[in-house]
Amino acid sequence: KVELQKQVSAERKSHLLEVARLRKDATQRSREAAKWRVMSERQRAEAERAKNAAKSHVQEISKLRSRYRESEKRLRMQTLKRGVMEKVGLDPVLVGRREGRSTRPVTAPPSAGGNQQKKV
């Protein structure tokens, strides 16, 4: 009977140790899983932020491109109209058009350039 009690108490002790070990292992695995979940969520949020930033950047670039395209078109049309008026012989002053509408600083008129050949 004493031998049986010793065996039962030894089995109970080993069983409790095994249960404690398994609980510890389960707790460790759940912590690890939670850590991976948090890291995954953080990466997902970072990817979402990057996607939104790229999207807004693309929208901004497309706005700038369309604005640039429109201004280039307007400039081409003005240049074409000015050339046609000069060919016809209309002076821009008579028609009410200003010559220097550009926002760039005017350094020298094209006829005053030093790179033209002098007529002798």
Side-chain angles (χ1 to χ4, degrees):
K1 191 174 178 181
V2 173
E3 186 67 32
L4 192 60
Q5 285 178 342
K6 282 184 179 178
Q7 185 183 359
V8 167
S9 71
E11 285 180 5
R12 183 180 295 140
K13 187 177 177 184
S14 71
H15 176 70
L16 289 176
L17 286 174
E18 183 71 19
V19 167
R21 188 183 64 78
L22 288 174
R23 274 196 189 132
K24 185 178 176 183
D25 192 34
T27 305
Q28 184 179 357
R29 287 181 190 230
S30 68
R31 282 183 188 156
E32 203 171 297
K35 182 178 86 170
W36 286 110
R37 249 192 319 275
V38 167
M39 285 179 60
S40 172
E41 184 63 28
R42 191 176 297 150
Q43 284 181 344
R44 188 198 61 76
E46 188 176 319
E48 187 72 23
R49 277 194 302 272
K51 180 181 133 190
N52 289 340
K55 190 176 178 182
S56 67
H57 184 67
V58 164
Q59 288 174 346
E60 187 177 332
I61 284 179
S62 67
K63 264 191 227 175
L64 289 173
R65 278 186 180 155
S66 66
R67 215 179 293 160
Y68 176 75
R69 197 177 301 125
E70 290 170 6
S71 57
E72 282 292 316
K73 184 178 177 182
R74 187 169 46 250
L75 183 64
R76 279 196 308 272
M77 289 303 292
Q78 286 176 352
T79 307
L80 183 66
K81 285 180 183 178
R82 190 174 297 125
V84 167
M85 287 190 337
E86 284 177 3
K87 281 184 183 178
V88 171
L90 293 177
D91 191 13
V93 176
L94 292 176
V95 195
R97 303 269 191 258
R98 282 184 269 166
E99 190 68 32
R101 267 191 146 169
S102 176
T103 57
R104 290 181 288 168
V106 178
T107 54
S111 62
N115 58 359
Q116 293 179 351
Q117 294 179 353
K118 292 183 180 180
K119 294 182 181 178
V120 183

